[in-house]
Structure formats: C-alpha cells, structure tokens
Amino acid sequence: MSKEILKTINIKKNFQHRNKSITLFKNLNLKINKGDLVALVGPSGSGKSSLLHIIGLLDEPTNGKILINNQDTSSFSNLKKDVIRSRSISIIFQDNNLLSDFTALENVYLPNLLISKEKQKSKEHAKKLIKNMGLLARINHFPNELSGGENQRIAIARALINNPDIILADEPTGALDQVNAENLINLLLEVCHKNRTTMIMVTHAHSLADKMQFRWNFDHGKLKKERA
C-alpha cells in the first residue's frame, strides 16, 4: 500500500514586483506517495523553483498548508524546520552551496555528523558516496579546486548522506555534460528505488524527465499531471 508522504492544501504564492503583487500559483493541491519520482517541467519563471522552496520549508506559501508525513508544518518553528530538513528532506540546488572553507569530504560528512555524532562512521559513509560519484581522488580538494560539475556531484553526495525521505532537485545536472548528467540521474534513481525515496526534480531536459514515473507540466500557475 502506498504511503502519502507529502501533501499540499490550497497553497498560494504571491510576490511583490514593482509595487504590484504577482500570483505564481493558487489553490495548488498535491499528493505525493513514498517512492514517487516526479519531474517538474515548464517554462522559466512559471514557479517551479518557488514550489520546491515551499515544499522544502525554505519559504512559506502566502496561503495554504504543507503536510509532511501527515504533520502540518505551518506551525513549525525555524528550529523544527531545520530538523526536518536535516533528517527527512535533502535539497540539491542549481548552485551547489558547498562550504568554501571545507574539503569535499568534509562538505559531505558534516550533515551526517550533526545527527550521528560519530565522526569516523560519517567519514566512511561519505567516502562511499563520493566514490560512487567517481571523485574519490578528489576528497581532500576544496570547492575552488574542483570543476563546476565536480562540485555538483559532491553536492549530490551530500544530499544523500542522511538517507532522506524526500529529495528536491532543482536542475541538479545543470553544470554537467549530457553523458555525466545521464549517469548521475541514473545513480540518483538507483538510490531512490533502493530506499523508496521520493524525488521531485525540476528539469528542462526531456531525456531526464522521461526517466521519472510522473511528469508535471507547470504553466500559468497550474499543474497538468501525467505519467512520464
């Protein structure tokens, strides 16, 4: 039986632009089950990234509710949201957001260390993930010593370190060539299938969207849902 892991209830998002309010979307109702793999596609500026930020509790909807594992997050404190993100939700940004003063290995294992408090186990787990990314020889390099594609692969390894329930990926392969992008998505999908991890991925690449179970076309504030 499928387990509902994420639900939105009538969410609406407005933002101010040149002294006027613009509505990105309204009355948006989503239901996502554990293990669902969703491609979110649509033109630039349609609200795809904003929706990911709201689902990831980095931004708040103008109206409506977000439920994660049947918990209404609207009353969560910032600390509670931080805990949810550290344990249940991983976000892969277009900009990798790596810590510039830490090595690749440190960037990957630190989120796990905050939870496990066991440094050696966290490091070993991180090394395995980095090896899967083909970057074991680069673990002691800093972000400014890595290429854009290498940094993105390290960011993805970091996103997987805590075995999240939900992965939110905003153009995760934007810095990669087509071959590496395909390989990386295949690796992400393998992890999701193995762990029944839910993934929602914003992408403009039809070849990547076709690898997902569902495709949501986002345009003019509305979602058209279909199987990929």
Side-chain angles (χ1 to χ4, degrees), residues 121-165:
K121 287 183 68 174
S122 294
K123 289 176 72 173
E124 291 304 316
H125 188 187
K127 285 180 181 178
K128 289 180 181 178
L129 289 170
I130 293 172
K131 182 179 179 180
N132 288 341
M133 297 294 160
L135 293 174
L136 192 58
R138 310 283 274 169
I139 60 174
N140 293 316
H141 288 68
F142 292 91
N144 65 358
E145 299 172 325
L146 301 174
S147 70
E150 288 172 334
N151 277 321
Q152 190 67 338
R153 281 185 275 168
I154 292 299
I156 290 172
R158 179 184 60 185
L160 298 175
I161 190 73
N162 286 336
N163 299 315
D165 295 321

Side-chain angles (χ1 to χ4, degrees), residues 146-228:
L146 301 174
S147 70
E150 288 172 334
N151 277 321
Q152 190 67 338
R153 281 185 275 168
I154 292 299
I156 290 172
R158 179 184 60 185
L160 298 175
I161 190 73
N162 286 336
N163 299 315
D165 295 321
I166 302 170
I167 294 174
L168 304 176
D170 191 355
E171 293 283 0
T173 60
L176 303 177
D177 58 58
Q178 184 175 355
V179 172
N180 281 318
E182 294 273 349
N183 290 339
L184 200 58
I185 291 301
N186 288 338
L187 178 60
L188 271 174
L189 291 175
E190 181 181 338
V191 171
C192 288
H193 284 303
K194 180 180 178 181
N195 299 327
R196 289 200 69 214
T197 304
T198 298
M199 180 162 65
I200 305 172
M201 179 179 66
V202 170
T203 183
H204 288 97
H206 293 293
S207 62
L208 300 184
D210 288 343
K211 292 178 179 289
M212 308 292 274
Q213 291 174 304
F214 305 97
R215 182 199 299 262
W216 293 353
N217 290 289
F218 205 171
D219 195 13
H220 296 98
K222 296 183 178 181
L223 276 178
K224 180 183 177 182
K225 305 173 190 177
E226 57 190 41
R227 281 198 171 270

Side-chain angles (χ1 to χ4, degrees), residues 6-226:
L6 174 67
K7 183 177 183 179
T8 71
I9 302 175
N10 294 328
I11 61 170
K12 177 182 180 181
K13 184 60 180 178
N14 294 342
F15 70 94
Q16 294 297 127
H17 179 68
R18 296 180 180 176
N19 298 319
K20 68 176 182 178
S21 180
I22 295 176
T23 299
L24 278 180
F25 44 78
K26 61 181 178 179
N27 298 325
L28 202 59
N29 293 286
L30 309 174
K31 290 184 180 180
I32 300 175
N33 293 324
K34 184 174 179 61
D36 281 356
L37 304 172
V38 178
L40 190 58
V41 301
S44 297
S46 59
K48 302 183 301 296
S49 294
S50 294
L51 178 59
L52 280 196
H53 279 71
I54 289 172
I55 292 173
L57 308 183
L58 293 171
D59 193 11
E60 294 185 1
T62 306
N63 294 110
K65 295 181 179 181
I66 310 293
L67 276 64
I68 297 176
N69 286 321
N70 294 316
Q71 296 184 80
D72 183 354
T73 64
S74 58
S75 61
F76 282 6
S77 66
N78 288 334
L79 178 59
K80 177 68 171 177
K81 291 178 182 178
D82 288 342
V83 171
I84 292 292
R85 280 193 300 270
S86 67
R87 295 179 182 274
S88 299
I89 302 175
S90 281
I91 306 172
I92 305 170
F93 297 97
Q94 289 175 307
D95 182 356
N96 57 72
N97 284 353
L98 296 179
L99 300 172
S100 61
D101 294 333
F102 292 84
T103 65
L105 179 61
E106 290 167 337
N107 266 285
V108 175
Y109 84 72
L110 283 174
N112 187 253
L113 180 62
L114 294 173
I115 294 174
S116 72
K117 310 298 182 184
E118 298 184 47
K119 186 174 182 178
Q120 194 56 41
K121 287 183 68 174
S122 294
K123 289 176 72 173
E124 291 304 316
H125 188 187
K127 285 180 181 178
K128 289 180 181 178
L129 289 170
I130 293 172
K131 182 179 179 180
N132 288 341
M133 297 294 160
L135 293 174
L136 192 58
R138 310 283 274 169
I139 60 174
N140 293 316
H141 288 68
F142 292 91
N144 65 358
E145 299 172 325
L146 301 174
S147 70
E150 288 172 334
N151 277 321
Q152 190 67 338
R153 281 185 275 168
I154 292 299
I156 290 172
R158 179 184 60 185
L160 298 175
I161 190 73
N162 286 336
N163 299 315
D165 295 321
I166 302 170
I167 294 174
L168 304 176
D170 191 355
E171 293 283 0
T173 60
L176 303 177
D177 58 58
Q178 184 175 355
V179 172
N180 281 318
E182 294 273 349
N183 290 339
L184 200 58
I185 291 301
N186 288 338
L187 178 60
L188 271 174
L189 291 175
E190 181 181 338
V191 171
C192 288
H193 284 303
K194 180 180 178 181
N195 299 327
R196 289 200 69 214
T197 304
T198 298
M199 180 162 65
I200 305 172
M201 179 179 66
V202 170
T203 183
H204 288 97
H206 293 293
S207 62
L208 300 184
D210 288 343
K211 292 178 179 289
M212 308 292 274
Q213 291 174 304
F214 305 97
R215 182 199 299 262
W216 293 353
N217 290 289
F218 205 171
D219 195 13
H220 296 98
K222 296 183 178 181
L223 276 178
K224 180 183 177 182
K225 305 173 190 177
E226 57 190 41

